[in-house]
Amino acid sequence: MVFEDMFSSAKAASRELALLSDADRSRVLSALADAVLARSGTLLAANAADLGRMERANPLYDRLRLTPERLAAIAADMRRVAGLPSPLGRTISATTLPNGLRLRRVGVPFGVVGVIYESRPNVGFDVFSLCFKSGNACLLKGGRDAECSNRAIVALVRDVLAGQGVCSPSAVGLLPATHEAAEAMLSAVGYVDLCIPRGGRGLIDFVRDTAKVPVIETGAGVVNTYFDAAGDVAVGARIVNNAKTRRVSVCNALDCLIVHASRLADLPALCAPLADRHVVVYADEPARLALSGGYPAALLRQAAPDS
């Protein structure tokens, strides 16, 4: 196996992590939060190299971009994770059988968690923080678009782990942004205890259909907003516009507006702010008729069955 050394090192590190105190885990995460701010220049320079390969008009550009403000938010989130109660050793449930046998379910680490994700570099920090706090090593496999950013992020995490000296830096590993690396992770029986895909439907389907290791299948649903018969048009228009246009690259941006049949006449007013942001609307026949003449024709399309 090409990646066997990385996988075996992560497995060994996971055993170290399971023995760490919660105070040690929290201290490492706090130190990492400090390092994110102290070495933000390095992270932003690596991110700039990734951004330089992508057109600004690409909706993924914003998802890929790191800024000082976003790094500050990442550091703040890391400190919040550090302050959470430990999930380890906690009794989840307990019962005593009629024969006197006492049974308990207790929180324990998985071991090595592999995560395959797309063009969001902050995911590396998110995954490491949550895995480390819960006593798990993690293997990351990001997308090509964020390759420089991901390398800089994992290098920073490993530097902090080495500096803190409580466990091996192999508690986090970054695989190459290749299809072969993803397949290797998904086939790493005995090394990877759990794999989680974070991305679109195509990625989730690939992981579920290919994996030989256990998988948690995340959702890739359509984001809906429903405007009811009693809805306030002004409030509804603001909600729809914010949900669709505030950040078009995020996975919870609005996909589908559903309107009560009795309020079809209000559809042009609900969608009016979207026209200012050049949003193309794919409408079924009743909605298209309601919008005709009230929404720019160049931005109005007939919805197909697969829209």
Side-chain angles (χ1 to χ4, degrees), residues 27-28 31 156-169:
R27 186 171 63 253
V28 169
L156 175 61
V157 173
R158 291 172 72 95
D159 284 352
V160 170
L161 288 174
Q164 291 294 305
V166 295
C167 71
S168 168

Side-chain angles (χ1 to χ4, degrees), residues 125-141:
F125 284 124
D126 294 346
V127 169
F128 173 76
S129 299
L130 294 170
C131 284
F132 194 80
K133 179 69 176 182
S134 56
N136 295 288
C138 62
L139 292 169
L140 307 173
K141 193 275 172 189

